[in-house]
Amino acid sequence: MIELYYWPTPNGHKITLFLEETGLPYEIKPVNIGAGDQFKPEFLAFSPNNRMPAIIDREPKDGGEPVTVFESGAILLYLAEKTGKFLPADVRGRFDVLQWLFWQMGGLGPMAGQNHHFVQYAPERIPYAMDRYVKETNRLYGVLDRRLADREFIAGDYSIADMASYPWIVPHKKQQQNLDDFPHLKRWFDAIRARPATERAYEKGAAISNISVMTEEGKKILFGQTAGVVKR
């Protein structure tokens, strides 16, 4: 049984996409990030960056003690190695997937996240910041569109690289991006959206939280964090 510490954000959806595709048994442990659950000592004990998602694998592949993993990219890699699925075994195929997984972790996710922050949540409109991150998001969409011009999925077959990137494209309208400008990306996006596992993953997220408007208190918790917020 996998214990998944989760909230329905793009990074959280990555993991439910994988788990629903593989059928691994798992239990969701909600971490309400707008209420500050990520700062609870019991969560920090295995997710020291006070971020979800995180997992505890009670039945690791080596049969030993439970394994804890935080950071969504590391969790996808761990689960792929545990199951032998969605990550090629040959060195070229493996690193083709991994370089695009790291591309999402270092580029698409952080830049789209800043886009969300300055366009949707910032208490004051800062034109420079909004323009900077909307344009960088657009550039990254273009990178992905070109990659998908001659292949069905990011690394050929459906993989953890696709599961990592797809949830960050879902809010494309909020990111001020038009998928019609990226035909290969749009084709890929529609194909993943239609997968039964994707539908199940997002239904589970909606069942946990359908909150679409963040409260002012929630913003203070999410965007006002410093080292002193975490109790030692």
Side-chain angles (χ1 to χ4, degrees):
M1 175 67 70
I2 302 288
E3 292 180 10
L4 171 60
Y5 291 79
Y6 163 96
W7 200 245
T9 69
N11 286 334
H13 289 311
K14 295 176 189 178
I15 313 306
T16 50
L17 285 174
F18 186 99
L19 292 169
E20 289 296 329
E21 287 282 355
T22 58
L24 271 177
Y26 71 102
E27 180 183 7
I28 289 177
K29 304 283 189 178
V31 179
N32 187 337
I33 58 176
D37 288 355
Q38 66 271 38
F39 299 111
K40 292 181 178 179
E42 57 269 29
F43 181 66
L44 288 170
F46 56 88
S47 186
N49 194 38
N50 55 272
R51 293 287 190 274
M52 67 85 226
I55 64 167
I56 301 177
D57 183 2
R58 301 289 180 185
E59 296 181 357
K61 193 173 182 178
D62 64 4
E65 294 296 314
V67 172
T68 64
V69 188
F70 70 99
E71 288 295 322
S72 58
I75 296 169
L76 285 174
L77 179 56
Y78 175 84
L79 293 173
E81 292 187 345
K82 175 184 175 72
T83 60
K85 295 181 179 180
F86 301 111
L87 179 65
D90 66 286
V91 65
R92 290 172 181 81
R94 177 182 174 86
F95 277 91
D96 203 17
V97 169
L98 290 181
Q99 66 185 351
W100 284 96
L101 173 65
F102 279 68
W103 173 84
Q104 185 282 313
M105 295 295 296
L108 180 61
M111 296 300 103
Q114 293 299 320
N115 180 324
H116 293 171
H117 179 79
F118 286 106
V119 173
Q120 302 292 325
Y121 300 123
E124 59 181 298
R125 308 291 282 181
I126 305 175
Y128 173 81
M130 295 168 62
D131 184 65
R132 164 76 177 94
Y133 290 111
V134 168
K135 284 183 176 177
E136 179 62 6
T137 302
N138 185 269
R139 186 190 73 81
L140 291 165
Y141 274 47
V143 171
L144 191 51
D145 187 66
R146 290 190 296 275
R147 174 67 179 179
L148 291 163
D150 60 353
R151 67 202 76 213
E152 184 177 9
F153 296 107
I154 292 175
D157 294 330
Y158 190 54
S159 73
I160 56 175
D162 302 285
M163 297 176 197
S165 290
Y166 172 81
W168 283 101
I169 305 296
V170 171
H172 55 90
K173 291 181 181 178
K174 290 184 177 180
Q175 298 166 7
Q176 299 189 9
Q177 306 301 318
N178 182 357
L179 288 191
D180 289 335
D181 295 337
F182 306 98
H184 309 299
L185 173 56
K186 183 177 181 180
R187 184 265 310 156
W188 167 88
F189 178 82
D190 289 341
I192 296 177
R193 182 174 58 181
R195 295 175 74 92
T198 303
E199 295 177 358
R200 293 194 300 270
Y202 277 79
E203 286 170 0
K204 289 199 171 183
I208 289 173
S209 175
N210 59 3
I211 299 171
S212 59
V213 178
M214 187 178 296
T215 66
E216 289 304 314
E217 185 61 28
K219 290 180 184 179
K220 290 179 182 178
I221 292 171
L222 282 176
F223 307 138
Q225 300 174 15
T226 65
V229 172
V230 181
K231 295 180 180 179
R232 299 179 184 277

